[in-house]
Amino acid sequence: MKFPYSSKKWLTLSIAAVMATSIGVGAVASESGTAAPASQTQGSQQNDKATTAATADNSKADANKTDATKADTAATEDKAAANGTADAKATETKATETKATDAKNTSPSGTTGTTNASDSTPATEQMTLAKAIEQAMQTNSKIQTARLEAKTADINQSLAYDSAADMRGLLDRSLEASKQKYIGTKQADLTKKLNQLAVKVTENQVKLGVQQAYYNLLHAQADLELKKQSLNRAQTQLKVAKAAFDVGTKAKTDILQAEMGVAGAQAALAAAENTLEINGMKFNEIIGVDVNKKWKLTPENKQIAAPAMNLQQAQEQALKQRHEIVQKEGELELANTTVNVLEDWSMQATYNGRIAKNNVEKAKLAIEEQNRQIKTEVAEAYLNLNAARVAIDFRKKAMEAAAESYRLTNLRFENGLATTLEVIQAEEELAEKENQHLEAIRNYNLAVVNFENALGVNK
């Protein structure tokens, strides 16, 4: 059987018919109001709702994720900003500390130091006796006070004189006016002179104190060196005793005795160090500087010949040069001026006249007392100077004899003829004689200083 169409076209027509039938069935179902099966519809709705909910959840999750991301971003930015501020502050603080450290470690000359000034050891300066006296004249508190008191006294005297001058216009030609005219001027001049003399007396006293403190400190430094030498000798003896004991030539008691000698020398050295510190502070105090300052003193031994003058000549010279005598004579002159003014007005019998005469007698007695005191001081200084000169020669010979005895005792010990105790005793004797000779030099120097001060020598 033949078909009117080709197989290809027939296939096309068949597909078209199937499609038309499907469309027709769908149209009929729509017109008759027939619904899709319930199970199919409910499933579709549930799928749609689930899809919608999922979409909403996803959207919400995305939104939350976005918010979280923004929050994290903001927190990160805030933290970065905070960290940046903190870093900036830390950097600024560190820079400030670095500048402070550089400024602290940089000396005024521009060099950089490695230690603080408080940690550094104060340098030891050279000091001479003349320099010490000069320093005291500038910074000693007693001298400065005396100078201020003298200036104040001069000002008060000037004020009193000016006040009296203002009152003269209110007074008639009387005794009081004459007193103010003559006595006032004389008293002002004498008061100024006496104030200057009082300063000179204070300066001489301080000068004497500086010289005494200088020689005491010089003696303490030399004594410390002697104590070190004594300790070295004792330690050497201990080594010898131990070596002899090791070879069997000395007993254990020799070591114990040597150790005792070392202990004694160490104790003496500690005492000398303390004495040096105390004398150093006293010296710094009197010259008016920091009490902890260290000095290297220049030896100032006043090895002079015996005074060419005798005791009487020395006393006469002192009475001419001592400021105390000049001061007392000025007070007597002032008292006589007052009496002379009263005599001119024939008022000797009055109360003021009798008081003025009494003041003159008191001034004369003060001069006599001052003369006796000065003569006694000169005699004491003169005799002490001669005794100190003799003592130096004696102490020097005694020291030389002790040194020879110590040397010979050591030789006997090396030959087995002396004990360790004998060597220690010889060493102690030598140390004592050395100290006595050193003290004799110090005492002689102080004797010269006291003698010059008693004479009124101003060097």
Side-chain angles (χ1 to χ4, degrees), residues 350-392:
T350 63
Y351 293 111
N352 291 333
R354 283 182 286 178
I355 292 174
K357 286 186 176 182
N358 290 338
N359 290 335
V360 170
E361 295 301 321
K362 287 172 60 178
K364 291 180 180 179
L365 291 174
I367 291 177
E368 293 177 1
E369 179 64 24
Q370 190 67 61
N371 287 340
R372 287 192 293 269
Q373 182 179 351
I374 289 177
K375 288 182 179 180
T376 302
E377 292 177 359
V378 172
E380 183 178 359
Y382 186 89
L383 296 175
N384 288 338
L385 177 60
N386 290 330
R389 183 183 299 104
V390 175
I392 284 184

Side-chain angles (χ1 to χ4, degrees), residues 160-404:
Y161 180 75
D162 293 341
S163 299
D166 294 338
M167 293 296 295
R168 288 173 194 160
L170 303 177
L171 297 174
D172 55 0
R173 299 177 62 184
S174 61
L175 175 63
E176 187 66 24
S178 179
K179 286 173 60 179
Q180 296 299 333
K181 179 179 180 181
Y182 296 102
I183 299 179
T185 303
K186 189 72 173 178
Q187 187 175 11
D189 294 339
L190 288 176
T191 300
K192 186 175 182 179
K193 180 179 180 180
L194 293 176
N195 292 336
Q196 293 174 350
L197 289 173
V199 173
K200 289 293 184 182
V201 170
T202 303
E203 289 177 351
N204 286 341
Q205 292 174 350
V206 172
K207 174 187 173 184
L208 176 61
V210 170
Q211 291 174 314
Q212 292 174 342
Y214 187 91
Y215 284 114
N216 287 334
L217 180 56
L218 192 65
H219 172 265
Q221 290 180 347
D223 183 61
L224 180 62
E225 296 301 321
L226 289 181
K227 295 299 187 294
K228 290 179 180 180
Q229 294 177 10
S230 179
L231 178 59
N232 290 334
R233 290 195 295 260
Q235 291 173 341
T236 301
Q237 183 60 31
L238 177 59
K239 293 180 181 179
V240 173
K242 288 182 178 180
F245 175 77
D246 291 338
V247 298
T249 59
K250 294 294 180 181
K252 182 67 174 180
T253 55
D254 290 282
I255 296 179
L256 296 177
Q257 292 171 351
E259 289 177 346
M260 181 180 63
V262 171
Q266 289 174 342
L269 178 62
E273 291 174 346
N274 293 337
T275 302
L276 177 61
E277 288 294 325
I278 294 173
N279 286 329
M281 290 183 179
K282 290 181 178 179
F283 175 74
N284 290 329
E285 180 183 1
I286 196 169
I287 65 175
V289 298
D290 182 15
V291 295
N292 294 320
K293 196 172 183 61
K294 304 299 180 183
W295 303 103
K296 183 179 180 182
L297 301 187
T298 302
E300 297 281 351
N301 293 325
K302 292 179 175 293
Q303 300 288 347
I304 63 174
M309 65 187 77
N310 56 31
L311 178 57
Q312 183 177 358
Q313 292 173 339
Q315 291 173 335
E316 293 176 354
Q317 181 178 342
L319 293 177
K320 296 177 182 179
Q321 297 180 159
R322 291 282 291 268
H323 294 300
E324 293 89 339
I325 289 295
V326 180
Q327 185 177 5
K328 298 301 180 183
E329 290 175 349
E331 294 174 356
L332 176 60
E333 183 180 358
L334 178 60
N336 282 326
T337 301
T338 303
V339 171
N340 292 334
V341 172
L342 294 176
E343 288 179 349
D344 291 341
W345 286 86
S346 300
M347 297 291 291
Q348 300 93 328
T350 63
Y351 293 111
N352 291 333
R354 283 182 286 178
I355 292 174
K357 286 186 176 182
N358 290 338
N359 290 335
V360 170
E361 295 301 321
K362 287 172 60 178
K364 291 180 180 179
L365 291 174
I367 291 177
E368 293 177 1
E369 179 64 24
Q370 190 67 61
N371 287 340
R372 287 192 293 269
Q373 182 179 351
I374 289 177
K375 288 182 179 180
T376 302
E377 292 177 359
V378 172
E380 183 178 359
Y382 186 89
L383 296 175
N384 288 338
L385 177 60
N386 290 330
R389 183 183 299 104
V390 175
I392 284 184
D393 296 335
F394 169 73
R395 295 301 180 186
K396 183 178 180 181
K397 293 179 180 179
M399 181 185 66
E400 293 173 349
E404 181 64 15

Side-chain angles (χ1 to χ4, degrees), residues 380-428:
E380 183 178 359
Y382 186 89
L383 296 175
N384 288 338
L385 177 60
N386 290 330
R389 183 183 299 104
V390 175
I392 284 184
D393 296 335
F394 169 73
R395 295 301 180 186
K396 183 178 180 181
K397 293 179 180 179
M399 181 185 66
E400 293 173 349
E404 181 64 15
S405 175
Y406 174 71
R407 186 184 70 82
L408 295 176
T409 305
N410 266 324
L411 289 177
R412 293 174 57 233
F413 176 82
E414 293 174 0
N415 294 319
L417 301 177
T419 64
T420 301
L421 182 60
E422 291 176 338
V423 176
I424 293 174
Q425 292 174 346
E427 194 282 325
E428 291 177 349

Side-chain angles (χ1 to χ4, degrees), residues 70-83:
K70 292 181 179 180
D72 292 339
T73 303
T76 302
E77 293 176 353
D78 294 339
K79 185 176 181 180
N83 290 337

